C-alpha cells in the first residue's frame, strides 16, 4: 500500500461532547489542521455520545470545506492498558500509512489520556501534535466554540510547548 500524505486526528471523548467538538473546531480554526481521518476514542459509558460527536465533527469539517473519514473506537471503562494498546495501534497504523498524527486530549478522562500518552511514548511513536483546549473558567462553556469568548479559551499544542522550552 502506498503511504497517503496528510493528517490523522485522534480525539478522546469523555464526559463532555462540547469539549471534544470545541477543541476540534479550535484546531481547525487556530492551527489550520485539515485531517483526512478522524478517530473518536471513548469508553463504554460515553459511547452513546460518540455518534453525536461524529456528526458534529462532520458538520464543523464541512464548514471548513472538507470531509474526513470518521471512525469510533469504544473501550471498556477505566481500562488503562486497553486504552494504551488501542491508541498505540491507531497511531502505528496511521504512521505506517503515511499520516502525520495529532491527538486531542481535551475531553478524555485521565485514565484514557494517561494510557494513551504513556503507550505512545514507550513505543517511541512520532506524534506531531497533542492538543488541549484550555479554559480559564468552566462556567457557561457548554456551547459552540465561536460563542465562547476568545480570552476564556486557548488551544494548546503540548508538543509545540514542550519544544519551545528546550
Amino acid at each position: 500500500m502506498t503511504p497517503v500524505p496528510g493528517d490523522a486526528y485522534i480525539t478522546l471523548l469523555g464526559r463532555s461532547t462540547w469539549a471534544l467538538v470545541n477543541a476540534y473546531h479550535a484546531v481547525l480554526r487556530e492551527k489550520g489542521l485539515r485531517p483526512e481521518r478522524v478517530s473518536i476514542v471513548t469508553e463504554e459509558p460515553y459511547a452513546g455520545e460518540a455518534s453525536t460527536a461524529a456528526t458534529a465533527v462532520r458538520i464543523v469539517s464541512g464548514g471548513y470545506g472538507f470531509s474526513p473519514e470518521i471512525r469510533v473506537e469504544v473501550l471498556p471503562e477505566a481500562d488503562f492498558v486497553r486504552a494504551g494498546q488501542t491508541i498505540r495501534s491507531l497511531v502505528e497504523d496511521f504512521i505506517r500509512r503515511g499520516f502525520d498524527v495529532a491527538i486531542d486530549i481535551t475531553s478524555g478522562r485521565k485514565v484514557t489520556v494517561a494510557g494513551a500518552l504513556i503507550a505512545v511514548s514507550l513505543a517511541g511513536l512520532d506524534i506531531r501534535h497533542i492538543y488541549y483546549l484550555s479554559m480559564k473558567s468552566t462556567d457557561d462553556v457548554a456551547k459552540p466554540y465561536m460563542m465562547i469568548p476568545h480570552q476564556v479559551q486557548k488551544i494548546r499544542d503540548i508538543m509545540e510547548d514542550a519544544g519551545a522550552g528546550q
Side-chain angles (χ1 to χ4, degrees), residues 79-100:
D79 189 335
F80 173 85
V81 173
R82 181 80 175 275
Q85 291 170 338
T86 299
I87 303 292
R88 186 187 68 234
S89 177
L90 282 170
V91 171
E92 287 172 338
D93 182 54
F94 283 139
I95 290 172
R96 183 173 45 254
R97 292 171 41 200
F99 290 97
D100 289 338

Side-chain angles (χ1 to χ4, degrees), residues 3-69:
V4 178
D7 293 307
Y9 185 87
I10 299 168
T11 183
L12 308 179
L13 174 60
R15 291 183 180 96
S16 175
T17 305
W18 277 117
L20 180 148
V21 175
N22 287 340
Y24 182 71
H25 194 157
V27 165
L28 299 185
R29 185 168 192 263
E30 307 295 328
K31 301 295 186 178
L33 198 75
R34 300 293 184 269
E36 294 179 31
R37 305 282 191 279
V38 174
S39 289
I40 298 170
V41 180
T42 191
E43 295 171 278
E44 287 172 354
Y46 312 102
E49 292 300 312
S51 65
T52 300
T55 298
V57 164
R58 196 170 287 110
I59 290 167
V60 171
S61 299
Y64 285 87
F66 72 102
S67 180
E69 176 185 309

Side-chain angles (χ1 to χ4, degrees), residues 77-129:
E77 184 176 17
D79 189 335
F80 173 85
V81 173
R82 181 80 175 275
Q85 291 170 338
T86 299
I87 303 292
R88 186 187 68 234
S89 177
L90 282 170
V91 171
E92 287 172 338
D93 182 54
F94 283 139
I95 290 172
R96 183 173 45 254
R97 292 171 41 200
F99 290 97
D100 289 338
V101 180
I103 296 178
D104 172 36
I105 63 171
T106 305
S107 179
R109 291 185 353 118
K110 288 179 185 84
V111 69
T112 307
V113 171
L117 296 182
I118 289 169
V120 166
S121 177
L122 290 175
L125 298 173
D126 181 21
I127 299 296
R128 298 297 172 96
H129 307 281

